[in-house]
């Protein structure tokens, strides 16, 4: 037995790295800032901001932005390159909740994933600027020929008026907004001043503190949520709920995503509206 023990320990050490993959093996994400005026529009490549679940491919497995493993049905990632990829699991505009539910399951029926695509928008390990990474992504997608791997379309605009017209078109069609990425920018983990989101509204997260009773038509069910932001500000969140959500509101202690239009003089969100329950919070932002 004494002779066998060192051999067993050595065997376990060899097996551990492959048997227990770690979220740390997935490359850290690059995070977008909010678009501001005065920047040269022509210096950016522009794509639609997709309302999906951000996912990272480390060359072997899929991870959420927060580092949790994603286990799609067998065959979904077959043939994907060993190169790390950054993208969005997406099945169409307005279908976030559907994709989010699939991601939270393990495996699942391949038919449920038939409409889901990994929308590729960056290569974290590529050493070149974004324009070169886009060319490399075209080559990867063309060489893979996987129906589940799709390149996000990147376009150039030469004026602010043209950019705003594209934003209006995307939003009118049910999209969220636009993403602008400097063509000469290198991939850098964390909040970036080379990558921007451009939307008519802002989104943020808050924790549910209490259920406030409804009045009038909402008598006998939830009228609003009392929520608290990560920095300690509290406010009422009463808009954006369906009747079913008022009957069965987000649990106290859960986190929700809300949409708002700027801040009031007191620093609270202006016209906040409920969007969805946030099942996984993003990792802490080192610059906030």
């Amino acid at each position: 037995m004494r002779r066998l023990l060192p051999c067993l320990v050595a065997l376990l050490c060899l097996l551990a790295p492959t048997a227990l993959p770690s979220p740390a093996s997935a490359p850290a994400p690059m995070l977008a800032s909010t678009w501001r005026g005065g920047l040269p529009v022509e210096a950016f490549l522009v794509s639609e901001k997709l309302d999906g679940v951000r996912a990272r491919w480390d060359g072997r497995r899929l991870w959420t932005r927060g580092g949790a493993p994603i286990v799609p049905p067998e065959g979904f990632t077959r043939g994907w390159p060993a190169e790390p990829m950054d993208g969005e699991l997406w099945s169409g505009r307005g279908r976030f909740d559907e994709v989010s539910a699939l991601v939270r399951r393990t495996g699942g029926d391949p038919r449920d994933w038939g409409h889901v695509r990994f929308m590729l928008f960056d290569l974290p390990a590529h050493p070149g600027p974004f324009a070169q990474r886009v060319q490399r992504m075209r080559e990867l997608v063309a060489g893979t020929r996987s129906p589940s791997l799709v390149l996000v379309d990147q376009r150039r605009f030469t004026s602010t008026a043209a950019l705003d017209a594209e934003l209006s078109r995307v939003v009118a069609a049910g999209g969220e907004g636009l993403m602008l990425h400097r063509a000469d920018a290198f991939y850098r983990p964390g909040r970036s001043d080379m990558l921007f989101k451009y939307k008519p509204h802002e989104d943020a997260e808050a924790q549910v503190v209490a259920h406030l009773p409804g009045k009038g038509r909402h008598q006998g069910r939830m009228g609003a949520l009392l929520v608290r932001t990560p920095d300690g500000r509290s406010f009422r969140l009463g808009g954006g709920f369906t009747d079913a959500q008022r009957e069965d509101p987000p649990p106290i202690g859960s986190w929700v995503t809300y949409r708002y239009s700027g801040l009031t003089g007191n620093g609270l969100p202006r016209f906040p509206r409920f969007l969805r329950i946030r099942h996984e919070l993003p990792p802490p932002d080192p610059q906030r």
Side-chain angles (χ1 to χ4, degrees):
M1 179 61 71
R2 290 180 179 178
R3 293 181 180 179
L4 287 175
L5 187 58
C7 296
L8 288 172
V9 172
L11 180 60
L12 288 173
C13 290
L14 287 173
L15 291 176
T18 55
L20 299 172
S22 168
S25 61
M30 185 173 180
L31 307 176
S33 300
T34 300
W35 176 253
R36 58 183 185 271
L39 297 175
V41 173
E42 64 277 5
F44 291 83
L45 288 166
V46 182
S47 62
E48 180 176 344
K49 186 183 186 303
L50 303 177
D51 184 21
V53 175
R54 186 164 184 180
R56 297 175 288 147
W57 172 254
D58 67 2
R60 296 184 306 155
R61 296 191 63 183
L62 276 171
W63 305 91
T64 67
R65 172 180 159 179
I70 300 173
V71 186
E74 184 178 355
F76 183 79
T77 61
R78 183 179 294 123
W80 283 18
E83 199 164 329
M85 300 186 295
D86 202 349
E88 197 103 350
L89 288 169
W90 188 71
S91 64
R93 293 166 176 155
R95 301 180 71 173
F96 172 86
D97 290 336
E98 189 177 324
V99 177
S100 178
L102 290 175
V103 167
R104 295 195 304 275
R105 301 176 197 161
T106 298
D109 192 330
R111 291 173 295 182
D112 295 336
W113 282 73
H115 56 273
V116 179
R117 300 291 181 266
F118 182 81
M119 305 299 292
L120 173 61
F121 56 65
D122 216 333
L123 299 174
H126 192 286
F130 186 59
Q132 290 183 13
R133 301 202 298 275
V134 170
Q135 180 57 40
R136 176 58 180 161
M137 286 187 282
R138 291 195 184 102
E139 296 169 356
L140 289 175
V141 171
T144 302
R145 296 183 179 180
S146 168
S148 60
L149 183 61
V150 178
L151 179 62
V152 173
D153 185 36
Q154 301 286 345
R155 303 172 58 193
R156 284 188 184 269
F157 294 89
T158 58
S159 68
T160 299
L163 180 68
D164 288 343
E166 176 66 4
L167 175 65
S168 297
R169 183 193 69 80
V170 167
V171 172
E176 273 204 343
L178 302 176
M179 299 295 297
L180 294 90
H181 201 145
R182 276 197 69 109
D184 59 355
F186 295 93
Y187 196 100
R188 296 288 185 269
R191 191 68 57 185
S192 173
D193 59 357
M194 297 288 182
L195 175 65
F196 297 94
K197 54 187 175 181
Y198 188 21
K199 305 187 299 179
H201 306 282
E202 287 297 312
D203 299 342
E205 285 74 43
Q207 189 173 31
V208 178
V209 176
H211 298 154
L212 305 179
K215 300 178 181 179
R217 189 171 76 84
H218 300 311
Q219 184 75 34
R221 56 186 178 181
M222 186 269 290
L225 298 177
L226 180 63
V227 298
R228 183 170 53 230
T229 64
D231 60 4
R233 293 170 296 150
S234 297
F235 62 95
R236 291 169 56 101
L237 183 59
F241 297 98
T242 64
D243 287 345
Q245 289 166 337
R246 292 185 185 278
E247 295 285 353
D248 184 21
I252 294 174
S254 65
W255 288 81
V256 298
T257 299
Y258 63 93
R259 174 169 291 172
Y260 65 102
S261 301
L263 300 175
T264 67
N266 295 327
L268 297 178
R270 188 187 303 275
F271 309 125
R273 291 180 62 81
F274 172 80
L275 277 182
R276 61 180 70 95
I277 295 177
R278 186 76 191 233
H279 294 284
E280 183 192 57
L281 285 177
D285 187 342
Q287 295 187 22
R288 294 186 177 180

